[in-house]
Amino acid sequence: MSKQTLGFNRALGDMAEALNSDITASEKLHLLVRATARALGVRGCSLMLLDAQRMRLFHTASHGLSERYLKKGFLEVERSLTEVLGERVVAILDVATDPRIQFQELAQQERITSILSVPVKIKGEVVGILCVYSRTRREFTAAEEQFLTTVANLAAVVLESGRLNEVEMRPREAKDEPSSHPTPLTSQLKPATFAHPSEEDFARLLDFYQIEWIYEPRSFALQWEGKATEMFTPDFYLPALDLYVEMTTLKPGLTREKNRKVRRLRELYPEVNIKLLARRDYDRLLAKYGHGPLAGAKTHGVGRVLLSAPQVQKRVRQLAKEISHDYEGRHPVLVGVLRGVFCFMADLMRYLTVPTDVDFMAISYYGGESGKAVRVTTDVGINLEGRHILLVEDIVDTGMTLSFVLSHLKARNPASLQVCTLLDKRVRRLADVHLNYVGFEVPDEFLVGYGLDYQEEYRNLPFVALMQEEKPESQVKDAKKHLR
Ligand code: 5GP
Ligand code: MG
């Protein structure tokens, strides 16, 4: 038996053992790519998966490639790789001259010369590719192609069992619910267990919005003494936002430690985006969708008035003046997302001096506790093709609702699409959305009034107020005196 064949056998043996162990799906995939790179004696190996739209490929598990290379952006399926996705093995002899390479310069800096890729298929359907990168110019042999194809099949098994785990984790009644969206592939890497329940809550929230996520995707070395002596593995990576998220815990000591690590990571890897999310942040996030400890609070009340009724009205008039000026002669369609926006929309429209159409859409987060998607429950009735849309929002928080709604509206081919929001909770933004008109920037607090509710209450307040937990009933009544 040749030395290489022995190496392949050993690698496949290690992989089989890993697949049969109780490590997480993402750990299994990392082991597969590492063992593959070693067995083939190449610089690196990467498993790239297609996103839900099958438009882009992103590195999901990789070995031997620099952070810089991995973060080079996603591969656009249109531009290259159509061959692999067409279920073929693709060999690139020299990245410097091959037109199929999207990041030629970076690949050269990374000292990659030849690449071999094979499709990763789950039950016949291509879900991604497995690539190996060689420093030297290399013509891969048929035996090497065969080996890589075998590893691709093993990776598919891991991905497939990830999908099974996910179904098992859902409550029984949600299992049969038809999903209008395919499950994002990254969610198939959902680990069998999360280190902390709050991480599972967060993953669920991301699923609501169809935001792709990968759990503990990558470890960063923070200190070296010859080899890495301190590593940091952020909890999540959100490919669509190119953002790492680390959850903090309730233990203050640990939080300090995490803060230090995040600071250090930012120093060492300035191109990496990372956000620290505190427990109270995602409790509040989840509360909006009816989940978590804050959502179930029985006694509650209105706290301080943040924006008085006259302040709100004055600002709405100013916004209307700007909008009237900008939309002169364009007869825009105002589109509001129900229900929080109805007060603002009504006032804004009455202050506008240009003729407008008005329509609303409603969305819901469906699937209950295990919700999988944002769904449009009532769509805009007006034909939006070629129209100038002004999307009117009550409040933009993480920006995830807005980015969903915007892509929905864009699909209807308007002539233009702009956003006006009364309130902007900018500090909490996760999705990168552009706001054209903003009434007020507001702090990171739960707000009620002027259309905004807490469990359907407080919408009728003419001002915007801070919501407080555990307030006695009498204070609620006090707050309601401001009504006139
Ligand atoms: P996002 O997707 O930007 O995180 O959330 C936007 C939606 O969450 C808003 O349209 C609104 O319905 C709700 N929301 C966000 N922040 C608040 C808040 O402070 N109070 C209330 N009542 N709703 C909020
Ligand atoms: Mg809203």
Side-chain angles (χ1 to χ4, degrees):
M1 208 183 279
S2 77
K3 199 173 153 215
Q4 189 183 48
T5 313
L6 266 176
F8 287 172
N9 282 347
R10 191 169 311 127
L12 291 174
D14 288 349
M15 292 177 194
E17 196 177 324
L19 256 61
N20 197 22
S21 72
D22 67 353
I23 58 178
T24 65
S26 130
E27 284 168 333
K28 287 175 187 172
L29 294 174
H30 278 102
L31 193 140
L32 291 190
V33 292
R34 194 172 60 228
T36 303
R38 289 200 182 136
L40 285 168
V42 290
R43 182 196 203 297
C45 176
S46 181
L47 170 69
M48 302 183 78
L49 293 182
L50 279 169
D51 65 0
Q53 291 79 41
R54 301 180 68 84
M55 300 277 287
R56 294 171 310 180
L57 282 159
F58 51 87
H59 296 278
T60 302
S62 64
H63 174 78
L65 299 171
S66 74
E67 196 62 28
R68 180 142 167 262
Y69 186 74
L70 293 174
K71 285 183 53 73
K72 67 183 185 279
F74 312 110
L75 291 183
E76 303 288 337
V77 169
E78 294 237 353
R79 275 205 49 192
S80 66
L81 303 157
T82 35
E83 293 177 75
V84 191
L85 296 176
E87 315 200 357
R88 296 204 307 132
V89 174
V90 173
I92 287 167
L93 208 52
D94 193 343
V95 300
T97 54
D98 200 301
R100 289 169 293 188
I101 295 294
Q102 277 172 33
F103 299 92
Q104 235 146 19
E105 208 169 298
L106 253 177
Q108 282 174 281
Q109 281 168 17
E110 189 81 1
R111 295 203 276 138
I112 293 171
T113 309
S114 303
I115 303 179
L116 178 69
S117 0
V118 300
V120 176
K121 291 187 252 183
I122 295 181
K123 297 185 179 142
E125 186 201 357
V126 178
V127 296
I129 59 177
L130 183 66
C131 302
V132 290
Y133 308 84
S134 154
R135 272 207 188 89
T136 53
R137 190 182 165 92
R138 178 158 163 182
E139 262 183 82
F140 290 93
T141 64
E144 288 167 341
E145 265 178 31
Q146 183 53 54
F147 172 70
L148 198 61
T149 303
T150 305
V151 178
N153 275 314
L154 294 179
V157 171
V158 176
L159 292 168
E160 179 66 359
S161 63
R163 180 140 61 186
L164 286 178
N165 284 345
E166 182 185 62
V167 175
E168 289 318 312
M169 279 168 60
R170 290 192 218 160
R172 199 166 301 277
E173 65 281 4
K175 264 189 202 170
D176 306 320
E177 193 162 18
S179 163
S180 61
H181 299 271
T183 305
L185 261 171
T186 41
S187 306
Q188 292 170 17
L189 298 182
K190 186 173 281 192
T193 49
F194 287 89
H196 196 274
S198 57
E199 295 172 354
E200 193 175 341
D201 287 347
F202 186 62
R204 195 180 284 159
L205 178 77
L206 294 170
D207 282 345
F208 278 155
Y209 288 105
Q210 291 279 294
I211 302 279
E212 313 243 8
W213 55 269
I214 309 174
Y215 186 61
E216 299 192 337
R218 190 168 304 155
S219 296
F220 296 89
L222 296 184
Q223 251 182 80
W224 301 263
E225 273 153 36
K227 61 181 173 66
T229 52
E230 187 182 13
M231 300 287 278
F232 178 48
T233 309
D235 298 319
F236 289 94
Y237 177 63
L238 316 182
L241 310 175
D242 187 20
L243 178 73
Y244 289 87
V245 175
E246 174 67 12
M247 318 252 105
T248 65
T249 59
L250 291 172
K251 295 200 186 97
L254 279 178
T255 303
R256 232 175 290 128
E257 177 64 9
K258 285 197 178 186
N259 274 319
R260 183 190 67 78
K261 287 190 171 181
V262 167
R263 265 201 310 276
R264 185 87 186 117
L265 190 147
R266 286 194 180 124
E267 279 166 23
L268 291 171
Y269 307 88
E271 73 285 5
V272 170
N273 296 321
I274 180 159
K275 262 216 158 97
L276 213 87
L277 217 61
R279 172 82 218 188
R280 61 169 194 285
D281 290 329
Y282 50 81
D283 277 351
R284 254 187 236 140
L285 267 173
L286 288 169
K288 288 189 313 207
Y289 312 109
H291 306 307
L294 289 186
K298 287 279 180 290
T299 53
H300 57 270
V302 163
R304 189 164 62 82
V305 173
L306 183 70
L307 303 165
S308 70
Q311 257 178 306
V312 171
Q313 291 302 313
K314 186 174 168 205
R315 186 71 189 120
V316 177
R317 273 198 303 272
Q318 287 170 344
L319 286 173
K321 201 171 160 194
E322 272 181 61
I323 292 166
S324 299
H325 173 81
D326 296 349
Y327 280 88
E328 187 67 57
R330 291 203 284 165
H331 200 121
V333 189
L334 306 186
V335 174
V337 182
L338 291 173
R339 283 172 281 186
V341 79
F342 74 96
C343 289
F344 176 44
M345 181 72 119
D347 285 342
L348 182 72
M349 201 190 170
R350 279 179 287 185
Y351 291 130
L352 288 173
T353 55
V354 285
T356 63
D357 289 0
V358 67
D359 210 336
F360 293 92
M361 56 188 286
I363 54 172
S364 73
Y365 311 96
Y366 86 102
E369 277 279 319
S370 64
K372 289 302 300 173
V374 186
R375 180 166 56 185
V376 175
T377 52
T378 309
D379 208 344
V380 179
I382 296 177
N383 179 10
L384 296 174
E385 178 132 14
R387 297 295 306 266
H388 296 281
I389 303 179
L390 181 62
L391 180 68
V392 183
E393 267 282 21
D394 45 1
I395 182 163
V396 180
D397 185 6
T398 63
M400 287 169 168
T401 304
L402 182 59
S403 83
F404 171 83
V405 169
L406 283 177
S407 59
H408 177 80
L409 290 174
K410 244 179 234 149
R412 299 187 53 174
N413 295 322
S416 70
L417 178 55
Q418 294 205 298
V419 181
C420 171
T421 183
L422 180 68
L423 307 172
D424 177 9
K425 232 186 247 183
R426 196 165 302 173
V427 292
R428 304 199 351 116
R429 199 61 39 80
L430 288 175
D432 182 24
V433 283
H434 182 68
L435 307 177
N436 306 89
Y437 304 93
V438 173
F440 303 92
E441 195 177 323
V442 291
D444 178 10
E445 299 281 352
F446 191 79
L447 305 173
V448 293
Y450 196 61
L452 292 173
D453 75 310
Y454 178 69
Q455 298 185 343
E456 291 305 322
E457 286 193 86
Y458 311 117
R459 290 193 196 277
N460 54 350
L461 301 174
F463 53 81
V464 176
L466 303 186
M467 187 60 215
Q468 277 184 358
E469 284 299 300
E470 320 267 341
K471 281 278 169 182
E473 272 309 295
S474 63
Q475 292 199 17
V476 179
K477 283 186 198 123
D478 279 348
K480 286 188 172 172
K481 281 188 200 146
H482 291 273
L483 255 169
R484 254 157 290 139

